[in-house]
Amino acid sequence: MRIRPAVDDDFPDIRAIARKTWHDTHDELDEDLIDRTVDDWYTDDSMPLEAPGTVVLVVEAADGSQAEFDDDDGEIVGFTHAVVQGDTADILRMYVDPDRQEAGVGTDLHERLVEQLRVYDVGRIRAFDFAFNDASRRFYEGLGFERTDVGEVEIDGEFYDEAVYTLKL
């Protein structure tokens, strides 16, 4: 497995992982809504790679198995996107291919992201996800985050509760 900064050519793979993960995880949302949202939210415009304080990382792995990774293959199986604002870093996106979850990929990706964010001297990291996403809650709480707030996210004119998880560094 290799974790590296994303490049423009990674966006088709980023969208594919986001789409697969949303469809696998968000039964509460209509399939067409998911596809429209992924097409809108996972682009080089919504995730500008060169913006100050922005970190976008991808995970490359070899084959489809969860246990064995080969650094030479380059198949993208996960990604994350965070933005630093003052002393806070916000993880806006953290996705691992559902076929690779529970294999430590997300934890490794998170650890590398934290390394990158420490350069900005942040005091806390926040992560956001749908409040109904129990898998996300378990993931973030397993990393030491605490649920600190609930907000709302608008998608196609509908509002959904969004959990805010915070990790103090």
Side-chain angles (χ1 to χ4, degrees):
M1 170 172 60
R2 176 178 33 220
I3 300 172
R4 62 167 175 80
V7 297
D8 287 333
D9 290 344
D10 293 329
F11 279 101
D13 292 327
I14 286 171
R15 272 189 300 281
I17 289 172
R19 187 176 320 279
K20 185 175 181 181
T21 304
W22 275 60
H23 280 289
D24 186 72
T25 307
H26 303 315
D27 293 338
E28 297 83 354
L29 302 176
D30 177 73
E31 290 187 13
D32 291 336
L33 175 64
I34 288 173
D35 290 334
R36 286 191 310 274
T37 303
V38 168
D39 289 341
D40 288 344
W41 286 10
Y42 299 86
T43 68
D44 55 353
D45 288 335
S46 65
M47 298 171 61
L49 301 178
E50 301 301 323
T54 297
V55 178
V56 182
L57 302 172
V58 295
V59 180
E60 293 179 329
D63 58 33
S65 73
Q66 291 184 349
E68 296 182 22
F69 298 101
D70 180 347
D71 285 343
D72 298 326
D73 186 279
E75 174 192 1
I76 294 177
V77 298
F79 71 95
T80 190
H81 170 214
V83 176
V84 176
Q85 299 171 3
D87 70 343
T88 300
D90 290 335
I91 301 174
L92 304 177
R93 299 166 174 100
M94 170 83 69
Y95 293 99
V96 172
D97 183 311
D99 297 333
R100 300 283 185 144
Q101 292 177 7
E102 306 296 327
V105 175
T107 301
D108 290 349
L109 181 58
H110 170 74
E111 289 172 1
R112 179 66 60 83
L113 177 61
V114 170
E115 287 175 18
Q116 297 288 312
L117 294 174
R118 286 189 189 278
V119 171
Y120 295 97
D121 198 30
V122 297
R124 68 180 179 156
I125 299 173
R126 296 185 304 184
F128 304 85
D129 206 338
F130 289 111
F132 59 74
N133 188 342
D134 288 333
S136 178
R137 178 188 50 76
R138 286 189 303 273
F139 174 73
Y140 284 117
E141 288 177 354
L143 294 170
F145 284 76
E146 292 182 18
R147 186 168 170 170
T148 55
D149 203 358
V150 176
E152 286 186 329
V153 60
E154 181 181 358
I155 303 174
D156 241 15
E158 296 289 326
F159 291 88
Y160 300 90
D161 286 344
E162 183 177 57
V164 180
Y165 302 95
T166 303
L167 176 69
K168 293 183 182 180
L169 300 179

